[in-house]
Amino acid sequence: MTLHVSQIAPLEVFPPDISAYRKGNAGVDYVTVLDSGKPGPHVMINALTHGNEICGAWTLDYLFREEVRPARGRLTLSFANVDAFHAFDAADPFTSRYLDEDFNRLWTDEVLAAPRSSREWQRARVLRPFVAEADLLLDIHSMHLPSPPLLMCGMQEKAIALGRAMGYPQHMVRDWGHAAGRRMRDYGAFDDPASPRTAMLVECGQHWEHKAVDVAIESTLRFLRHCGVVEPDWIAERLTVDDPPPQQLVEVSGPVTIKTDDFRFVEDYQGMEVIERANTVIGYDGDEEVRTPFDNCILIMPGRQLVPGLSAVRLGRLVD
Ligand SMILES: [Zn+2]
């Protein structure tokens, strides 16, 4: 059954049952640490940073069912915002992104140290020790629009190198996140060019499309292949994309921040459209025209909530 919540969000995939993973083995609900007992990196794969982005939960479910095991180092599998995930309502699926505040805007030591009451902050504090000691982290997300999948690399070259080592998906974005707060993928050493510790965020497609689950699993297998903790043969047997197209790196130049409560785009942009000519009108903020600042301007992840203070869209240019 395909349930059309709106024009943009057919529910092809529903949340998986993750109750079997609650107990875990690390003293924290929904965290499992698989330890090879041999030296090697600590690799972490995280799902449900946003509660309604279920392709990551399906990916961890896949890894558990396929009995993934590290041959060296450690592999941590974590479900982050499980309380929001469990609040999923098929009649109103966007609202379970979070309960009190965005889990992915809390990731500085200052924010994590200063007492606050949100359930996301409490969960972030519990997960921090795992994140803080991961050598390599993959954080699995999805988008509200059916945009092509994206690797969100942050600002550091080491993450772009990681994206190139994955070789998939096609589009990589170098960006500095959000003014509203720091993402987990940018926490601590991940954003320090002097540290080898590296994180990647993958946006796999629309939240509830089948394709997003396929993208999430393929991306995760390729990430694991690069990390070298799981036997290469185990990964090779499960990869499904033989010859992905060459990757393209897009650099974000800046967000369009909304000023009025009457922002609208001139077209129904889905993301990754290329607007050929500089100075093209892409929307209106109240009476003010919003124009592209340069030729071949790429529209990255147009927003769903077009309210003052949030980004309507981020603008990027192809760098190679
Ligand atoms: Zn997300």
Side-chain angles (χ1 to χ4, degrees):
M1 184 187 72
T2 298
L3 178 65
H4 288 273
V5 173
S6 77
Q7 292 291 333
I8 57 165
L11 290 178
E12 296 174 359
V13 180
F14 284 79
D17 177 3
I18 62 169
S19 55
Y21 313 125
R22 175 172 184 166
K23 193 155 184 293
N25 65 355
V28 172
D29 279 2
Y30 293 103
V31 177
T32 298
V33 181
L34 303 169
D35 193 338
S36 70
K38 298 186 181 128
H42 178 196
V43 174
M44 181 166 178
I45 299 173
N46 182 68
L48 299 179
T49 285
H50 294 126
N52 61 354
E53 300 181 3
I54 58 178
C55 62
W58 278 111
T59 299
L60 294 194
D61 180 64
Y62 170 86
L63 292 176
F64 280 117
R65 282 187 287 110
E66 296 288 306
E67 299 183 337
V68 68
R69 290 288 177 273
R72 51 191 285 265
R74 268 175 302 156
L75 177 61
T76 293
L77 305 177
S78 57
F79 301 86
N81 200 345
V82 283
D83 288 346
F85 170 78
H86 285 130
F88 184 85
D89 176 359
D92 191 13
F94 285 110
T95 55
S96 53
R97 178 178 170 84
Y98 56 78
L99 297 175
D100 300 323
E101 63 178 327
D102 193 326
F103 178 91
N104 213 24
R105 303 289 181 270
L106 302 171
W107 288 88
T108 64
D109 286 333
E110 294 72 28
V111 171
L112 290 169
R116 65 209 261 160
S117 59
S118 81
R119 284 165 281 187
E120 279 75 17
W121 181 82
Q122 287 163 12
R123 182 64 176 161
R125 297 250 303 175
V126 168
L127 289 184
R128 173 166 56 171
F130 302 95
V131 178
E133 69 147 29
D135 295 301
L136 292 148
L137 167 74
L138 179 66
D139 191 22
I140 306 173
H141 290 247
S142 54
M143 300 176 270
H144 75 276
L145 291 168
S147 165
L150 305 169
L151 289 174
M152 306 302 285
C153 299
M155 288 305 289
Q156 304 304 331
E157 285 296 332
K158 60 186 178 180
I160 291 166
L162 168 58
R164 293 203 193 283
M166 290 168 68
Y168 175 95
Q170 183 181 6
H171 298 287
M172 302 198 293
V173 177
R174 182 204 283 262
D175 76 315
W176 19 263
H178 305 274
R182 205 163 174 79
R183 300 172 298 188
M184 189 167 70
R185 63 115 21 265
D186 302 315
Y187 176 59
F190 296 143
D191 193 43
D192 176 359
S195 167
R197 297 179 50 231
T198 308
M200 181 61 76
L201 188 163
V202 60
E203 298 278 4
C204 298
Q206 209 283 332
H207 299 321
W208 308 298
E209 62 180 350
H210 282 295
K211 237 172 19 189
V213 178
D214 297 339
V215 170
I217 291 173
E218 179 77 13
S219 302
T220 300
L221 292 171
R222 285 166 172 269
F223 172 78
L224 284 172
R225 183 177 63 179
H226 168 73
C227 296
V229 289
V230 174
E231 288 294 353
D233 288 351
W234 188 95
I235 294 171
E237 283 164 19
R238 289 165 176 81
L239 290 170
T240 55
V241 178
D242 285 337
D243 196 12
Q247 285 174 304
Q248 295 185 314
L249 178 61
V250 175
E251 205 156 77
V252 170
S253 71
V256 174
T257 304
I258 301 169
K259 297 178 206 158
T260 75
D261 51 18
D262 183 26
F263 188 101
R264 65 261 181 223
F265 289 109
V266 297
E267 281 179 46
D268 191 14
Y269 300 119
Q270 304 289 294
M272 301 308 285
E273 287 87 355
V274 181
I275 310 295
E276 203 177 325
R277 295 260 167 250
N279 229 20
T280 302
V281 175
I282 56 167
Y284 292 91
D285 197 349
D287 295 331
E288 198 178 311
E289 290 172 338
V290 178
R291 293 173 178 271
T292 53
F294 43 79
D295 286 348
N296 297 316
C297 178
I298 301 171
L299 308 183
I300 301 163
M301 295 176 73
R304 189 177 72 86
Q305 281 187 297
L306 299 176
V307 298
L310 294 188
S311 303
V313 64
R314 284 183 276 174
L315 306 177
R317 65 173 98 219
L318 203 58
V319 288
D320 68 22

